[in-house]
Amino acid sequence: MKCPKCQFDNREGVKFCEKCGTSIELVCAKCGAKIPLDRQFCGECGHDLSRPEEAAPIDYNQPQSYTPKFLAEKILTTRSSIEGERKLVTVLFADVANYMSMSENLDPEEVHQIMDGCFKILMGEIHKYEGTINQFTGDGVMALFGAPVAHEDHAQRACHAALSIQKAVGEYEQKIKKDHGLDFKMRVGLNSGPVIVGAIGDDLRMDYTAVGDTTNLASRMEGMAGSGAVMVSTDTYKMARDFFVFESVGKVPIKGKEKPQEAYELIKASEVETRIEAAAARGLTKFVGRGQEMQVLKAAFEKAKSGSGQVVGIVGEAGVGKSRILLEVRNMLSGDENTYLEGRCLHYGGVMAYLPMLDILRLYFEIKEGEQELEIKKNMKEKILQLHEKLQNALSPFQDLLSLKIEDEAYLKLEPQQKRERTFEALRDLFVRASQHKPLVLAVEDLHWIDKTTEEFLDYLIGSLANARILLILLYRPEYNHLWGSKSYYTKIGVDQLSTPTSVELVQSILEGGDVVPELRELILNRTGGNPLFMEEFTHSLLENGTIQMKDDQYVLSRKTSEIDVPDTIQGIIAARIDRLEENLKRTMQVASVIGRDFAFRILQTITGMKEELKSHLINLQGLEFIYEKRLFPELEYIFKHILTQEVAYNSLLAKRRKEIHENIGKAIETIYAERLE
Ligand SMILES: Nc1ncnc2c1ncn2[C@@H]1O[C@H](COP(=O)(O)OP(=O)(O)O)[C@@H](O)[C@H]1O
Ligand SMILES: [Mg+2]
């Protein structure tokens, strides 16, 4: 079986690619049987697999009836490893503001019809951001973002979904007004906090237990929201504030809480979409280290400039500083002598074809927000003709990409495959032509979230780079696999955590107003393991909750280090990464986390009862840089690369399970070291 993603030739009968982990099965739309990708008919029921699924009416009590396939698959493939875990989520409640008066004034049939339309909007918007709907209430919905599968940006996703719901309902209201003469508005409330994910059934039904008042507070926020508005709690606000505009509504009393809590109205998405933009908007910390990485990039640019195209991968885990390096490259290359264009993939953008290419086109054609269509088209044409008249051909595909009106009848009649070819050619020709004019730097951020079409386009483009004055810079996390590694003009820059001296420099520049006492510096260094994002987030959260205080021009700690928790943002990033692991690896890591930051192979082997396969799991985890081999003698020991990874894995386990593992560790130590203990 050839893998559709990486083309690896797999053994017959495997369900996932053994090279890159992509699913190589189809699910029959009729009977749900799993079938290899290359088949035409279902072996179980004879269904013609090329025929689209007939739309069945939606049953709002049956999650498998309303959950889209891509989400259902994600949940089912990971479910056994997420059951019984503690997760950080954002809870969304939405309901119809004037449901009572609507049901009094209309007959039940009409109300049913209106609500059906409303539920479809809710489903569409929530699923778009990969939320899971837990329950349809009579007049609304409850959904979770970040469970069952963890998302590092659950709060952002929930905010996007809430705004999209209000927008779509606003349009729907116009129709209801026309048909029934009624106002139709929704209230939405959000709160973030922990929940425990219970069993997940074959039918996708997920049990969950609220921890503390995670869900109550979300429901309370919804109750307080005005018609057509979105209200969020302080916890959600803190996680999403960089990316959205909020208005504080002041402190509000909450049932069951002694002190009133701050609530915020979510107004709109801000211009800031990525973490590095948010950091830049707040003011960047001084750039430290990375001299070698910058050298490599500079050399690659010089080569490209002289006519031998280069591809550079900047590869490293979340927060290690990839985007920051790119930002410094952009500053280094700024000026009129070259063109710099950058596009980014978004976490929830995997379904939007050409997303990063759209950024790049908008930059190239200098398209501004809200600009008139005619103006855009005129400018595009001028710019294209300036490059070369042959590029005329590219106009229709570009208009298509940018959702502008296309006049070219012949283009409109093309089959999708032909349109795609035209688009690929158009983009490539634009880049190559532009680079003849001035050296071109193309950067694509966060390839681990790339859509399939852009991915294929990049492969195609890389094939034509060898003699172009183009430097293509690609940023991604280590878990992303690709095909171009073998090209002689490809260079990979592995971005590792900062060295200790560089980390010290960074901590001092984050806390620039005074000296950092050694105890505090050690705490930050130990907990964040040289990851600059973690250093910034951790330090800021300590400042915000008063753990770091200023005394006589010195930053000091006001609490015991053992009482300090991992901030939610970091926890989210790590939890999402752990959830993407294959189940065996994740389980191994969780059990190891109970032993401690360092763990001996023999103990792990005894408590898991695994034999040879444990070795291979650990080798895999090493490859992914979750753990390192600490020493071989006198016995094999491993260590978690980040103490935070160990903490997050440990925190995801329920107390009961931890206790069991602790007991088993005790027993294992007794048996293994019996002689020594005597
Ligand atoms: N070498 C560095 N010097 C100073 N700050 C850095 C450095 N590397 C990263 N940072 C900061 O750490 C944060 C995370 O870095 P970022 O580049 O966004 O990580 P990544 O893109 O790898 O996820 C940003 O705020 C960035 O400014
Ligand atoms: Mg980045």
Side-chain angles (χ1 to χ4, degrees):
M1 272 310 302
K2 241 201 184 108
C3 167
K5 187 164 175 218
C6 75
Q7 310 299 323
F8 179 71
D9 233 337
N10 285 284
R11 293 177 292 132
E12 270 309 311
V14 296
K15 300 191 180 75
F16 295 91
C17 173
E18 291 176 319
K19 187 100 187 196
C20 73
T22 302
S23 169
I24 40 186
E25 279 184 337
L26 274 173
V27 178
C28 170
K30 194 158 168 220
C31 72
K34 294 196 167 159
I35 308 144
L37 269 189
D38 57 353
R39 307 299 144 90
Q40 260 112 45
F41 290 90
C42 171
E44 290 290 323
C45 72
H47 180 68
D48 180 350
L49 298 169
S50 63
R51 257 195 23 223
E53 196 174 345
E54 283 122 37
I58 296 165
D59 179 345
Y60 296 109
N61 289 314
Q62 297 293 336
Q64 87 263 44
S65 161
Y66 59 72
T67 307
K69 246 197 196 149
F70 74 99
L71 264 185
E73 268 174 28
K74 250 193 198 173
I75 295 173
L76 291 177
T77 48
T78 40
R79 73 170 157 170
S80 56
S81 72
I82 33 197
E83 281 173 4
E85 274 189 357
R86 210 183 155 86
K87 298 248 137 136
L88 273 181
V89 300
T90 299
V91 184
L92 177 150
F93 274 95
D95 83 347
V96 179
N98 47 342
Y99 187 74
M100 281 291 270
S101 80
M102 182 171 85
S103 45
E104 275 165 18
N105 288 315
L106 298 178
D107 76 56
E109 186 72 15
E110 283 176 307
V111 175
H112 180 83
Q113 203 190 357
I114 292 176
M115 287 313 294
D116 195 58
C118 170
F119 286 161
K120 290 209 169 100
I121 292 176
L122 294 173
M123 283 186 327
E125 302 304 335
I126 290 168
H127 289 145
K128 187 156 115 202
Y129 297 99
E130 299 192 21
T132 36
I133 295 177
N134 255 79
Q135 192 188 352
F136 283 98
T137 56
D139 64 345
V141 76
M142 175 201 160
L144 297 181
F145 292 81
V149 184
H151 288 304
E152 64 187 58
D153 51 352
H154 51 90
Q156 271 178 70
R157 287 173 189 250
C159 288
H160 276 305
L163 289 172
S164 311
I165 288 173
Q166 291 299 23
K167 183 161 176 263
V169 169
E171 284 156 19
Y172 189 52
E173 186 187 16
Q174 301 302 318
K175 180 173 163 346
I176 309 255
K177 228 181 195 140
K178 209 166 105 225
D179 296 352
H180 305 278
L182 275 180
D183 287 338
F184 185 85
K185 289 205 159 55
M186 297 206 83
R187 295 181 296 215
V188 182
L190 305 178
N191 177 40
S192 307
V195 298
I196 291 169
V197 175
I200 300 166
D202 283 329
D203 62 354
L204 300 173
R205 198 172 289 287
M206 175 177 82
D207 293 337
Y208 71 91
T209 318
V211 180
D213 45 21
T214 305
T215 40
N216 282 342
L217 193 54
S219 153
R220 178 84 183 92
M221 288 295 127
E222 182 230 77
M224 274 173 33
S227 299
V230 182
M231 194 69 86
V232 316
S233 69
T234 308
D235 285 333
T236 304
Y237 165 76
K238 277 192 186 160
M239 272 185 268
R241 63 184 154 192
D242 283 337
F243 307 98
F244 297 87
V245 178
F246 293 94
E247 250 167 39
S248 169
V249 295
K251 291 209 155 89
V252 293
I254 304 287
K255 208 161 63 190
K257 288 255 177 203
E258 255 177 56
K259 284 192 198 151
Q261 296 221 338
E262 195 104 27
Y264 299 82
E265 188 175 333
L266 170 59
I267 308 294
K268 59 175 185 188
S270 75
E271 311 241 297
V272 170
E273 276 188 280
T274 60
R275 229 180 22 229
I276 192 79
E277 286 167 3
R282 277 194 309 260
L284 291 169
T285 31
K286 191 183 100 198
F287 187 54
V288 296
R290 305 300 184 210
Q292 219 177 342
E293 288 83 350
M294 293 300 288
Q295 278 304 321
V296 175
L297 279 154
K298 195 153 191 229
F301 175 70
E302 292 302 330
K303 264 196 196 160
K305 196 171 154 187
S306 68
S308 99
Q310 298 289 310
V311 185
V312 177
I314 302 184
V315 189
E317 61 188 52
V320 79
K322 304 179 291 297
S323 304
R324 181 63 189 266
I325 292 177
L326 185 64
L327 190 84
E328 300 297 324
V329 169
R330 187 167 86 196
N331 292 340
M332 178 173 81
L333 300 179
S334 67
D336 284 342
E337 284 120 60
N338 38 61
T339 314
Y340 178 93
L341 302 172
E342 182 181 315
R344 76 249 175 291
C345 308
L346 292 178
H347 2 206
Y348 37 79
V351 285
M352 297 181 244
Y354 295 109
L355 189 67
M357 291 302 132
L358 297 183
D359 294 335
I360 287 182
L361 284 181
R362 283 196 199 103
L363 281 173
Y364 187 79
F365 293 114
E366 300 176 59
I367 300 173
K368 290 172 231 41
E369 192 72 44
E371 199 176 358
Q372 293 291 321
E373 175 146 350
L374 274 177
E375 188 71 19
I376 299 177
K377 281 175 139 175
K378 188 171 135 262
N379 291 342
M380 280 173 74
K381 193 161 178 182
E382 268 171 27
K383 282 212 148 214
I384 289 256
L385 290 179
Q386 267 169 23
L387 282 178
H388 202 282
E389 62 191 40
K390 268 203 189 141
L391 274 178
Q392 279 267 28
N393 252 340
L395 267 176
S396 301
F398 289 167
Q399 290 168 348
D400 198 3
L401 283 178
L402 294 163
S403 311
L404 302 170
K405 196 166 177 311
I406 309 163
E407 280 104 35
D408 181 354
E409 291 293 330
Y411 176 84
L412 286 169
K413 286 202 190 98
L414 295 178
E415 295 289 319
Q417 182 60 27
Q418 294 168 308
K419 279 191 184 157
R420 199 178 106 120
E421 276 165 28
R422 283 277 302 272
T423 310
F424 279 24
E425 275 169 22
L427 287 166
R428 181 201 56 194
D429 292 350
L430 174 73
F431 299 149
V432 172
R433 284 280 175 198
S435 78
Q436 288 167 352
H437 188 53
K438 273 184 201 177
L440 172 65
V441 182
L442 283 177
V444 184
E445 268 263 21
D446 292 331
L447 253 63
H448 41 273
W449 290 316
I450 199 168
D451 64 278
K452 225 172 145 27
T453 324
T454 308
E455 187 170 42
E456 284 161 6
F457 170 69
L458 287 180
D459 275 342
Y460 170 89
L461 177 68
I462 289 170
S464 348
L465 281 191
N467 299 314
R469 294 206 295 166
I470 299 180
L471 168 61
L472 176 63
I473 306 178
L474 304 169
L475 280 66
Y476 51 93
R477 298 184 184 167
E479 59 261 30
Y480 178 71
N481 289 299
H482 55 74
L483 301 171
W484 52 80
S486 58
K487 291 269 189 274
S488 62
Y489 47 92
Y490 168 75
T491 315
K492 173 178 159 179
I493 301 181
V495 185
D496 217 338
Q497 64 247 62
L498 297 174
S499 65
T500 307
T502 317
S503 301
V504 171
E505 211 183 324
L506 184 61
V507 171
Q508 189 61 66
S509 64
I510 300 173
L511 294 170
E512 55 185 354
D515 283 336
V516 181
V517 297
E519 185 201 9
L520 172 57
R521 192 176 62 212
E522 289 308 309
L523 170 76
I524 299 173
L525 294 193
N526 280 337
R527 293 290 281 269
T528 56
N531 181 306
L533 175 72
F534 295 176
M535 282 189 225
E536 289 182 347
E537 291 283 332
F538 190 51
T539 311
H540 286 140
S541 90
L542 296 184
L543 278 169
E544 195 161 317
N545 64 25
T547 305
I548 297 183
Q549 285 179 354
M550 185 72 140
K551 268 204 189 111
D552 308 327
D553 289 340
Q554 278 197 321
Y555 284 106
V556 296
L557 271 175
S558 69
R559 275 200 290 164
K560 282 212 257 354
T561 50
S562 57
E563 292 166 3
I564 297 167
D565 291 331
V566 186
D568 289 349
T569 38
I570 303 182
Q571 193 159 338
I573 292 174
I574 298 174
R577 184 158 184 237
I578 296 178
D579 264 8
R580 284 195 297 271
L581 286 175
E582 188 210 316
E583 182 178 350
N584 282 320
L585 299 188
K586 177 170 160 180
R587 289 257 183 258
T588 306
M589 210 155 80
Q590 284 176 322
V591 175
S593 78
V594 183
I595 306 177
R597 171 133 192 232
D598 322 356
F599 54 93
F601 178 75
R602 271 209 290 171
I603 296 186
L604 189 60
Q605 192 169 39
T606 314
I607 42 183
T608 55
M610 285 194 253
K611 302 220 161 46
E612 278 312 300
E613 68 272 24
L614 179 60
K615 266 268 168 59
S616 83
H617 296 339
L618 292 169
I619 289 173
N620 271 330
L621 287 172
Q622 255 180 295
L624 294 166
E625 300 195 30
F626 278 105
I627 59 172
Y628 289 142
E629 234 171 56
K630 191 180 174 199
R631 60 171 146 254
L632 274 167
F633 299 105
E635 69 173 313
L636 178 55
E637 273 183 30
Y638 291 89
I639 179 165
F640 277 93
K641 176 170 169 184
H642 285 299
I643 190 162
L644 288 172
T645 315
Q646 182 226 337
E647 280 177 33
V648 172
Y650 184 81
N651 285 339
S652 70
L653 292 168
L654 300 188
K656 184 167 140 262
R657 177 91 183 105
R658 278 184 218 159
K659 194 161 158 258
E660 275 167 26
I661 302 175
H662 269 300
E663 282 165 11
N664 290 338
I665 295 171
K667 281 185 211 144
I669 292 178
E670 269 173 37
T671 3
I672 298 175
Y673 304 110
E675 312 102 61
R676 232 187 284 169
L677 289 174
E678 268 164 14

